[in-house]
Amino acid sequence: MGEEEPRIGVFICHCGVNIGGVVNVPEVVKYAKTLPNVAHAEDNIYTCSEAGLASIKEAIKKRKLNRVIVASCTPRTHEPLFRSACSEAKLNHYLFEMANIREQCSWVHAHQLEKATKKAKDIVRMAVARATWLEPQEEPELEIKDNALVIGGGISGMTAALTLADQGFKVYLVEKEPELGGNLRRLHKLYPTMQDTLEILEPTIKAVSANKKIETLVSTTVSDVKGYVGNFKVTLAKNGEKREIEIGTIIVACGAMNYTPPKGLYQYGVYPNVVTQLEMDELLRNGKIEKPPERVIMIQCVGARKGEIRAVDLTGFPKSDTARLLAKILKAKREEGWPYCSKICCMNAIKNAILIKEKFPETDVIILYGDVRVYKEYEDFYSEARENQVKFVKHIEEVTPEITQEPEGKLTVTAYDALSGLEMKLPCDWVVLSTPLIPRKEEVILARMLKIPISQDGFLMEAHLKLRPVDTQMDGIFLAGAASGPKDVPESIISAKAAAARASILMANKKMRTEALTSFVDEEQCIGCGLCEEICSYGAHYLEDAKSHTIAALCRGCGACAAECPRRAITMQHFTDAQILAQVKAALTEEV
Amino acid sequence: MAEKTVLIIGGGVSGIQASLDLASRGYKVYLVEKSPSIGGRMAQLDKTFPTLDCSMCILAPKMIDCSHHANVQLLTYSEVKRVKGSRGNFLVTVLRKPRFVDETKCTGCGICADHCPVEVPNEFDEQLGMRKAIYMPFPQAVPRSMTVDKANCIECGLCQKMCQAGAVDLKQEPKEVELNVGAVIVSIGFDLFDPTQIPTYGYGRYRNLITSLELERLLCASGPTGGHLIRPSDGKIPRKIAFIQCVGSRDRRFGTTYCSSICCKYSVKDAVLIREHEPNTMVTIFYIDLRAFGKGFQEFVNRAKSEYGVRFVRSSPGEIMEDPVTKNLAIWYEDTVAGRIESTEFDLVVLCPALVPRADARELAKVLGAEVDSYGFFKAADILTNPVDTTVPGIFACGYCLGPKTGDIPDSIMQGSATAARVAEVLERV
């Protein structure tokens, strides 16, 4: 095709009145016919209709078109449709070009009819200039191995492994600890059903060990990851022994860990009866609280919602106390901690409060909170706690409660009631700190090996926070459970199943087509400086024999390497310098 | 081939996700949607929290993927009437309501609607804008086909005359189709609590008292006001806006004792959007507990306070009174932190109603033989370990029809994918 004279067909869409009501479409058609290499131009009421698509296919055949341009709306929504029409008429779909004269013209210039028509001509002229230089491209097909690696043997990792194994895929389940179970091992009971954690954990572990498709590797870590979607080469390490496996997809279920306050914060580590909520779980589970306490005080958001300086909003505070409180608040030392809300701590505190009340009905349990974030149906769980006489007190969060020890070993918590503004001195036997789930330290190393970015909150980052919550920016790598942020058990299970669903698509199809829009190195020009390898965020470039090479499957087509290359040895396929320069030149040329 | 075929009921974002995941995995998917277009609630939203992505811009490509996918067959404007059989082999009867337009011929050019003489309020715009009796609910509708609303059509025949594609067929009859599928996924979403049930608020009586979904349409660039934030009574830009949380949520009077999970978050988002639209407009949010959980959200609230000056008052207001002349609304409330009862006047008040089960959820549950919980949401087989299975083997559920355990869009999407995994797990074993 490269040698052939370009014969461009231009299809200009009225889009009902969307474009036709503003742009003089017949005039643009007439203009398009005068442009170099344009062999055919026509207008359609709706180019995307069956009739419109049929006329593209017909024109490709009858007018021997070897380039097609549709001037209409956005490629985001309609390019696939027009590309497939070209393919059906045996025209390589990379020889299709779209000119957006709706969003970028008629919609924004709805009241400037003449100027809009002129701009539509400019846009079409630019598209024609670029189309002249288009070349056919092939989308390479990749083989996908139909086995998976799940990193992390907590409830999320085990669920993901079982979900995949049940569909017939071989799974390697890697856990760094000597046994499966993760965080749930330390928990006593689960809200809101109050089931014993073991009731859920044990059957799951049994199912994993009984499943022949799952190879469980405990006391094992991932020490290296190479390759790309469908063809990862992963090195696993166990007691210094290394083993390499080849797998198709990876699910990261490395979980999160409970934040332990630094010694001295809320007197944690100073007084033995100041514990974290997770430690309280363990104490309750092991029956370590034998003597009925007179009072237990739980403090929410210890180390959570703290990393940033929160705005001190005094609008609501009682006028009489404001001045006194403001002085105190401004003096208050900023607590160490994490900026986000960990989401599960309110429910966890309520759960332990109910458990304490069940065991010791006479014990006074007070929860000091900023907001009670018991979302979902957990509201009913919160009501249950209040019916059980658990007391909830909104305190002024900006002032860190002070904890002092009385001579006989009791503690006193000093805090401010947000509703009355008054100081409260509350003697108690236990202070329980609700601390957030935070990212694991290993996560950073994993993220680097897997080339997944980390979000601002320190957890692994999704491909899109809203629309692709279990995908990562790396094809073939997915996120399950608390690796991407705090989650409770049902949320972890749902995300694990979702990650398994996404991974199974690749493995069930056994192959995938990758984008043709990748970087291409001209070895003649390449001086092997390695700048491209350095700048590539995806590890798509490597040097061999002093020349750069591209791993097409890893390349995302961002073009950073092409911009960086001092010898212009790198070309972005489908976005070549010639194509872009022709388009720029056309933009700067006046209408002819 | 029932084993490799799935019925999905409800074309919102979770149903779309389940459809795409299963179709890409090689399953044949029938996606049944009651209304003329897929897209669901997410299509009605202006922007999504906390990233402030334009909702339609990120949803539309997924809707289009669905309609282009060789393995997905869309059955819009259709309802599931009967379901027989069991896991691996369900026999489903779907009623295809007549849209009086041939979907295969219609290009959605809208010329018919230009000529239609009948104007009625548009449900998609929460009745704030108008549509014709022949209409497309919103410009990005999938399928791109018009629908005749026969209840309001005067049968003048103009649409038929104007249609260049010959797509209008006013004699179309309802049709029943039988489908044989291996599994069923329910994703019918939610309705809003009807705020007229709280007479002291006066919703329906006061023009400047709107719901949060109405506000979404007012903020949306493709909405009835072209994205201009104006108040309904006089078209003026409101300078003082209040949001009231927990309208029906966490309320024993109506049996809706749960937290709807999303209202605090979208209100903060809306407040920020309002401040960006109209920097001189003050926004106050009346809340009980500010439930800003979830990724990136606490940080977003911090910004709303410090950068955007959004004011938060801890209170569940008691009464709203309208000034008969200015149509401004005075909110009576107890500021529980300050310990005072106060009254403040606002130009526009936004109610954040509870999310409740769809009106027809119980009926559909009956058709499917599935149980609903005490609120009327679809009941999960086990809320801890089996959260997307219904009580009927082979029938799964995702999205808000499972109740507020679905927090938001990513939760709905994860559940959509999770049901896809469950279907594959169950059917690959058959």
Side-chain angles (χ1 to χ4, degrees):
Chain A
M1 180 92 51
E3 302 303 312
E4 237 175 280
E5 269 303 294
R7 289 181 60 81
I8 303 173
V10 184
F11 300 81
I12 301 169
C13 182
H14 288 261
C15 194
V17 290
N18 274 304
I19 296 168
V22 178
V23 171
N24 184 338
V25 174
E27 199 185 311
V28 182
V29 172
K30 222 167 106 193
Y31 172 70
K33 284 181 177 164
T34 66
L35 294 169
N37 300 315
V38 172
H40 173 79
E42 66 172 70
D43 55 338
N44 318 99
I45 298 292
Y46 249 109
T47 314
C48 64
S49 68
E50 284 304 322
L53 297 174
S55 88
I56 294 178
K57 288 185 252 183
E58 196 187 292
I60 292 172
K61 285 182 185 139
K62 285 205 173 147
R63 312 290 307 246
K64 300 200 170 15
L65 301 180
N66 54 24
R67 308 278 192 283
V68 168
I69 294 170
V70 172
S72 59
C73 51
T74 163
R76 189 74 187 89
T77 57
H78 280 71
E79 192 178 58
L81 185 70
F82 296 129
R83 277 183 161 190
S84 64
C86 292
S87 302
E88 281 165 34
K90 307 270 183 293
L91 182 71
N92 182 289
H93 67 238
Y94 284 87
L95 296 169
F96 169 78
E97 173 72 5
M98 210 159 164
N100 188 343
I101 57 166
R102 192 177 73 176
E103 282 85 344
Q104 293 172 8
C105 185
S106 70
W107 278 3
V108 283
H109 306 296
H111 304 294
Q112 302 161 286
L113 307 190
E114 264 178 43
K115 283 185 176 169
T117 302
K118 187 175 178 303
K119 182 170 172 184
K121 287 181 187 173
D122 291 345
I123 293 172
V124 167
R125 183 175 67 244
M126 288 164 69
V128 168
R130 174 169 149 80
T132 308
W133 292 91
L134 288 178
E135 285 164 9
Q137 308 286 344
E138 290 309 320
E139 291 174 346
E141 199 173 73
L142 271 183
E143 296 289 324
I144 306 285
K145 291 196 173 62
D146 63 348
N147 55 3
L149 165 69
V150 177
I151 305 172
I155 190 73
S156 306
M158 288 192 290
T159 304
L162 282 168
T163 308
L164 288 175
D166 281 347
Q167 297 174 50
F169 302 108
K170 157 98 191 176
V171 183
Y172 297 94
L173 177 61
V174 170
E175 167 58 49
K176 67 178 170 32
E177 300 294 330
E179 50 186 1
L180 294 173
N183 285 338
L184 286 199
R185 286 214 159 271
R186 296 180 67 187
L187 287 180
H188 177 30
K189 295 206 172 190
L190 294 173
Y191 66 77
T193 57
M194 292 297 192
Q195 269 165 290
D196 201 296
T197 313
L198 293 178
E199 265 178 55
I200 285 166
L201 205 50
E202 276 176 352
T204 313
I205 294 175
K206 259 189 204 141
V208 168
S209 1
N211 199 311
K212 292 196 177 72
K213 288 278 179 183
I214 303 177
E215 187 175 334
T216 304
L217 303 155
V218 291
S219 306
T220 303
T221 55
V222 175
S223 66
D224 191 31
V225 180
K226 283 206 171 70
Y228 43 87
V229 54
N231 304 275
F232 291 106
K233 284 189 180 62
V234 178
T235 312
L236 303 174
K238 182 177 187 175
N239 308 327
E241 267 177 57
K242 300 232 163 153
R243 168 183 176 188
E244 195 174 83
I245 55 170
E246 292 188 8
I247 39 138
T249 59
I250 299 175
I251 293 179
V252 188
C254 60
M257 60 182 231
N258 199 253
Y259 173 69
T260 310
K263 190 177 168 184
L265 182 63
Y266 293 87
Q267 306 302 327
Y268 180 81
V270 179
Y271 305 136
N273 37 356
V274 177
V275 295
T276 64
Q277 203 66 254
L278 185 62
E279 287 161 356
M280 180 50 77
D281 249 292
E282 285 173 318
L283 288 168
L284 289 168
R285 177 173 170 167
N286 302 328
K288 287 282 165 63
I289 302 178
E290 283 153 8
K291 196 172 134 241
E294 261 176 69
R295 182 181 280 147
V296 176
I297 294 184
M298 297 182 177
I299 303 173
Q300 299 304 106
C301 303
V302 171
R305 303 168 60 182
K306 295 281 158 50
E308 279 175 4
I309 300 173
R310 276 175 297 157
V312 180
D313 179 6
L314 292 170
T315 42
F317 292 161
K319 284 253 158 60
S320 54
D321 291 313
T322 306
R324 190 169 62 84
L325 281 172
L326 183 62
K328 189 160 182 95
I329 288 162
L330 293 180
K331 261 196 275 170
K333 214 177 108 212
R334 223 178 88 207
E335 267 178 46
E336 183 193 333
W338 298 77
Y340 54 85
C341 159
S342 174
K343 187 175 178 184
I344 62 166
C345 329
C346 283
M347 275 78 76
N348 232 347
I350 292 173
K351 175 197 74 183
N352 281 345
I354 290 177
L355 289 175
I356 292 170
K357 275 289 197 184
E358 269 173 14
K359 199 168 173 195
F360 308 113
E362 299 305 314
T363 300
D364 191 25
V365 182
I366 298 178
I367 300 181
L368 297 180
Y369 70 94
D371 293 288
V372 182
R373 291 185 172 169
V374 286
Y375 53 111
K376 314 180 177 183
E377 303 92 325
Y378 300 148
E379 184 73 35
D380 296 340
F381 191 50
Y382 174 31
S383 302
E384 187 191 326
R386 282 181 294 176
E387 275 153 24
N388 284 338
Q389 309 301 321
V390 175
K391 292 174 189 152
F392 291 81
V393 177
K394 182 175 170 73
H395 75 119
I396 299 175
E397 291 172 276
E398 285 77 3
V399 189
T400 305
E402 272 172 39
I403 292 153
T404 47
Q405 196 176 30
E406 304 301 315
E408 67 276 29
K410 283 216 171 204
L411 300 171
T412 296
V413 175
T414 308
Y416 288 87
D417 177 11
L419 303 193
S420 66
L422 299 177
E423 190 182 77
M424 301 177 287
K425 278 197 182 295
L426 302 163
C428 62
D429 306 285
W430 291 91
V431 171
V432 189
L433 309 176
S434 287
T435 57
L437 282 176
I438 62 167
R440 286 189 187 280
K441 292 184 198 83
E442 305 87 336
E443 188 209 273
V444 183
I445 306 162
L446 259 181
R448 203 164 292 160
M449 275 193 285
L450 298 166
K451 302 181 191 82
I452 317 174
I454 290 175
S455 337
Q456 267 186 338
D457 55 11
F459 290 100
L460 296 178
M461 192 161 157
E462 309 86 348
H464 188 285
L465 182 59
K466 298 303 274 190
L467 286 189
R468 296 176 65 194
V470 297
D471 298 0
T472 67
Q473 72 162 30
M474 296 303 290
D475 285 339
I477 304 181
F478 305 90
L479 304 173
S484 58
K487 286 185 186 62
D488 63 17
V489 171
E491 287 164 351
S492 296
I493 289 178
I494 288 170
S495 73
K497 290 207 170 287
R502 304 288 297 158
S504 76
I505 295 171
L506 292 169
M507 296 190 289
N509 287 319
K510 293 198 170 66
K511 54 192 168 199
M512 73 178 268
R513 286 203 175 277
T514 60
E515 188 64 56
L517 204 172
T518 54
S519 87
F520 174 79
V521 184
D522 178 352
E523 285 195 21
E524 296 274 295
Q525 293 293 321
C526 178
I527 51 169
C529 68
L531 271 177
C532 49
E533 189 184 10
E534 212 170 284
I535 196 151
C536 181
S537 316
Y538 309 97
H541 279 280
Y542 66 96
L543 284 183
E544 202 175 274
D545 303 329
K547 296 283 175 194
S548 175
H549 300 270
T550 309
I551 306 166
L554 284 177
C555 177
R556 316 300 287 181
C558 71
C561 55
E564 195 71 16
C565 179
R567 294 288 303 232
R568 294 206 187 164
I570 298 179
T571 300
M572 298 311 296
Q573 318 257 43
H574 202 54
F575 280 92
T576 62
D577 287 357
Q579 288 164 1
I580 293 169
L581 287 174
Q583 205 170 4
V584 172
K585 209 177 268 173
L588 301 174
T589 317
E590 273 297 300
E591 186 184 320
V592 281
Chain B
M1 270 300 283
E3 305 86 57
K4 279 280 196 180
T5 309
V6 185
L7 168 74
I8 298 179
I9 310 169
V13 68
S14 58
I16 288 174
Q17 184 65 39
S19 301
L20 289 173
D21 283 346
L22 283 165
S24 311
R25 178 123 170 36
Y27 286 78
K28 166 84 190 165
V29 174
Y30 295 102
L31 178 55
V32 172
E33 165 61 42
K34 197 169 61 170
S35 76
S37 169
I38 58 170
R41 292 293 182 193
M42 189 177 166
Q44 286 185 287
L45 306 180
D46 176 34
K47 298 208 165 68
T48 62
F49 58 75
T51 50
L52 300 187
D53 276 311
C54 153
S55 190
M56 182 55 87
C57 310
I58 59 177
L59 178 65
K62 272 189 182 267
M63 292 162 62
I64 289 162
D65 284 353
C66 238
S67 71
H68 286 171
H69 206 294
N71 286 342
V72 181
Q73 189 180 339
L74 290 184
L75 299 163
T76 49
Y77 216 49
S78 302
E79 286 171 29
V80 172
K81 285 290 155 196
R82 285 181 295 281
V83 176
K84 280 189 220 147
S86 59
R87 179 171 70 188
N89 190 15
F90 290 101
L91 207 61
V92 184
T93 311
V94 175
L95 172 71
R96 306 217 63 188
K97 298 179 280 187
R99 68 197 305 157
F100 305 104
V101 172
D102 185 340
E103 269 176 50
T104 58
K105 289 184 187 160
C106 179
T107 63
C109 70
I111 291 172
C112 53
D114 291 344
H115 290 84
C116 175
V118 184
E119 249 193 359
V120 290
N122 190 356
E123 306 82 355
F124 182 80
D125 283 332
E126 293 292 302
Q127 327 284 345
L128 290 171
M130 303 300 278
R131 63 161 172 84
K132 295 297 184 67
I134 186 163
Y135 69 107
M136 197 150 52
F138 51 101
Q140 304 86 342
V142 171
R144 264 202 88 76
S145 171
M146 309 299 288
T147 302
V148 177
D149 163 14
K150 258 298 176 65
N152 288 301
C153 171
I154 54 167
E155 315 230 0
C156 66
L158 260 179
C159 50
Q160 211 157 7
K161 271 186 214 133
M162 297 314 298
C163 180
Q164 294 169 11
V168 180
D169 172 10
L170 294 171
K171 297 212 167 57
Q172 225 176 44
E173 294 280 334
K175 216 168 62 182
E176 283 197 347
V177 289
E178 295 264 310
L179 307 172
N180 188 202
V181 299
V184 178
I185 296 174
V186 186
S187 52
I188 59 170
F190 61 88
D191 275 335
L192 288 187
F193 172 82
D194 173 13
T196 59
Q197 292 184 65
I198 306 180
T200 51
Y201 280 176
Y203 180 76
R205 283 185 285 137
Y206 305 151
R207 291 197 64 193
N208 294 325
L209 185 60
I210 62 173
T211 66
S212 47
L213 202 52
E214 289 167 32
L215 179 74
E216 291 288 343
R217 298 312 302 150
L218 283 182
L219 288 170
C220 184
S222 62
T225 59
H228 294 291
L229 178 60
I230 50 176
R231 64 178 198 159
S233 73
D234 52 12
K236 285 189 184 149
I237 297 169
R239 289 298 173 212
K240 279 180 84 181
I241 300 180
F243 284 82
I244 299 181
Q245 297 302 311
C246 301
V247 176
S249 303
R250 306 178 69 184
D251 198 329
R252 291 187 181 197
R253 289 177 293 176
F254 311 106
T256 39
T257 50
Y258 53 86
C259 161
S260 293
S261 285
I262 61 166
C263 325
C264 285
K265 302 197 268 187
Y266 71 62
S267 298
V268 178
K269 178 260 308 183
D270 286 336
V272 166
L273 289 178
I274 289 169
R275 297 282 288 162
E276 280 183 350
H277 270 245
E278 299 295 339
N280 295 323
T281 295
M282 301 299 294
V283 185
T284 304
I285 297 179
F286 291 94
Y287 72 100
I288 305 175
D289 288 287
L290 195 68
R291 294 187 169 166
F293 56 89
K295 196 157 181 168
F297 221 80
Q298 182 61 45
E299 297 88 327
F300 189 72
V301 169
N302 296 348
R303 275 180 58 208
K305 282 186 188 170
S306 58
E307 275 177 45
Y308 290 92
V310 178
R311 189 170 157 250
F312 293 85
V313 176
R314 186 174 181 276
S315 174
S316 174
E319 193 171 8
I320 302 172
M321 311 263 263
E322 186 188 61
D323 182 319
V325 180
T326 61
K327 306 290 176 196
N328 288 348
L329 299 170
I331 298 183
W332 282 90
Y333 64 96
E334 182 195 357
D335 182 332
T336 55
V337 174
R340 288 187 293 245
I341 291 178
E342 289 191 58
S343 162
T344 308
E345 202 174 84
F346 294 93
D347 303 345
L348 181 74
V349 176
V350 184
L351 301 178
C352 302
L355 274 54
V356 297
R358 285 274 188 196
D360 52 2
R362 277 177 201 274
E363 200 185 311
L364 179 64
K366 216 178 204 179
V367 167
L368 297 167
E371 285 175 44
V372 292
D373 64 17
S374 57
Y375 308 119
F377 291 114
F378 277 81
K379 192 171 175 179
D382 182 323
I383 60 165
L384 278 179
T385 56
N386 230 343
V388 296
D389 287 36
T390 68
T391 51
V392 183
I395 302 184
F396 307 93
C398 55
Y400 216 95
C401 67
L402 275 170
K405 61 181 66 62
T406 308
D408 50 13
I409 295 165
D411 280 346
S412 297
I413 287 182
M414 275 193 263
Q415 289 179 358
S417 290
T419 51
R422 288 293 297 135
V423 167
E425 264 183 289
V426 167
L427 295 189
E428 296 294 315
R429 261 189 211 162
V430 170

